[in-house]
Amino acid sequence: MTPPVLLNVARPWGEADPVALAARALEAGLDGVGLADSPRLFPDPLVETARVLAGTDARLAGPCVLGLGLRHPATVAGAVRTLAAHHPGRVVAVVGRGESSVRNEGLPVPSLPEHEAAMRALRELLVDGPTLLGAASGPRTIAATAVALGGVLVDVGTDPAVLARAVGLAHGAAVWVFLRAAVTSCVEEADAAARPVLGSCAARIAGAPDWYGVGGDELAHVRAVAAAHDYRRHGTAAAGHATGPGDALVRERFLVTGDGPTITARVRELAAVGVDGVVLAGAVAGVTERLAELATAVTAGLSTDPRE
């Protein structure tokens, strides 16, 4: 059975209707959507999840990623449990420390022990509840999230070797992959696709350089890309535009670009490691414009049918 594939809807206030985007995702062959969480940037993901589930036949929908650095576990549990009661079997909730949502409110990113405590509290409140995953990109957070929630959405780029290490750290927990991919026909299109997310990807490498095997001058270039990212404009082309050697390095490690067969081949490599689900990053430029092509390429890579 092919793992579910969701489109993560990360569109600023007023730019697009999540229900309409969900309908397009379903028409393209995807299973549903995730809704990004950052109050100053995006519509509320819990409210929009209710709209999507009521207004479409989405197999799965839910917040992705709901920031526990900004929301108390009890309120998160109450909202998710309410959604699941109205739409049984169709809710998937992804939580994390928070990125733009925390930074944009001037709050510190929770420490790992604080985040672990929040995840444990949430899990206790949602025993036998809907699918619950925790987003993680570094080795310690991946391991801690797998233990606390039993499921993790790993955001570790597109290197199968790095993904294999992440799966190993999950110790049998469900592993979904956050995938940044876009159908492109030239380097210029690949650069444009990466621009809205390049700085936040660079921050992941800079936060765990040994994990990603980056050091020396390469690490300095990556840190320059990360430093240029403006979280007040996270997920938009204006979020950061550092140019230099670090751009290509980060793009190659965190984005899959090219034609359909190229994307299918890379996804097949990732799927071979062991994948329980995929969330496509909607903030990557060009994703919605060529969504049907991208969906076809990704689902073909995940298919267990050798004819695909």
Side-chain angles (χ1 to χ4, degrees):
M1 182 178 178
T2 303
V5 183
L6 309 183
L7 172 67
N8 201 38
V9 177
R11 286 291 181 267
W13 283 92
E15 187 175 298
D17 178 20
V19 177
L21 279 179
R24 285 192 57 201
L26 298 178
E27 185 178 350
L30 301 183
D31 296 282
V33 295
L35 289 306
D37 180 29
S38 190
R40 292 181 185 260
L41 294 175
F42 311 123
D44 184 87
L46 294 162
V47 173
E48 296 298 354
T49 294
R51 292 185 63 234
V52 167
L53 290 171
T56 74
D57 294 325
R59 175 184 165 196
L60 290 171
C64 182
V65 173
L66 208 58
L68 294 179
L70 201 60
R71 301 173 185 262
H72 193 278
T75 63
V76 171
V80 171
R81 193 165 56 240
T82 302
L83 285 170
H86 287 293
H87 307 282
R90 299 174 64 202
V91 176
V92 55
V94 186
V95 299
R97 295 196 214 192
E99 190 173 58
S100 57
S101 59
V102 175
R103 294 172 185 264
N104 287 345
E105 301 308 323
L107 299 172
V109 176
S111 67
L112 182 54
E114 290 170 335
H115 184 52
E116 287 182 274
M119 289 191 292
R120 287 194 299 269
L122 179 61
R123 177 75 276 175
E124 290 172 3
L125 291 166
L126 286 175
V127 173
D128 299 324
T131 300
L132 182 62
L133 307 169
S137 57
R140 293 192 304 148
T141 309
I142 291 169
T145 300
V147 171
L149 298 180
V152 57
L153 173 66
V154 297
D155 184 0
V156 295
T158 60
D159 184 338
V162 178
L163 178 58
R165 294 201 296 272
V167 170
L169 288 172
H171 296 297
V175 175
W176 288 46
V177 173
F178 192 75
L179 179 65
R180 296 172 182 83
V183 177
T184 60
S185 57
C186 60
V187 173
E188 289 75 18
E189 287 185 358
D191 285 340
R195 197 165 296 127
V197 299
L198 205 62
S200 60
C201 294
R204 285 161 173 75
I205 298 175
D210 293 339
W211 170 251
Y212 291 102
V214 176
D217 290 342
E218 284 190 338
L219 180 56
H221 295 319
V222 168
R223 284 174 172 161
V225 177
H229 192 67
D230 183 355
Y231 279 90
R232 294 169 300 177
R233 296 176 174 84
H234 184 62
T236 71
H241 52 273
T243 57
D247 283 16
L249 188 153
V250 176
R251 189 185 73 239
E252 290 167 4
R253 288 171 177 262
F254 267 83
L255 278 90
V256 181
T257 58
D259 60 13
T262 298
I263 293 173
T264 295
R266 176 58 68 86
V267 172
R268 188 164 285 137
E269 291 180 328
L270 298 174
V273 175
V275 172
D276 295 293
V278 171
V279 177
L280 294 174
V284 174
V287 165
T288 55
E289 290 79 2
R290 305 182 73 170
L291 185 57
E293 293 176 76
L294 179 60
T296 297
V298 171
T299 53
L302 293 170
S303 174
T304 56
D305 186 340
R307 296 171 296 178
E308 295 288 342

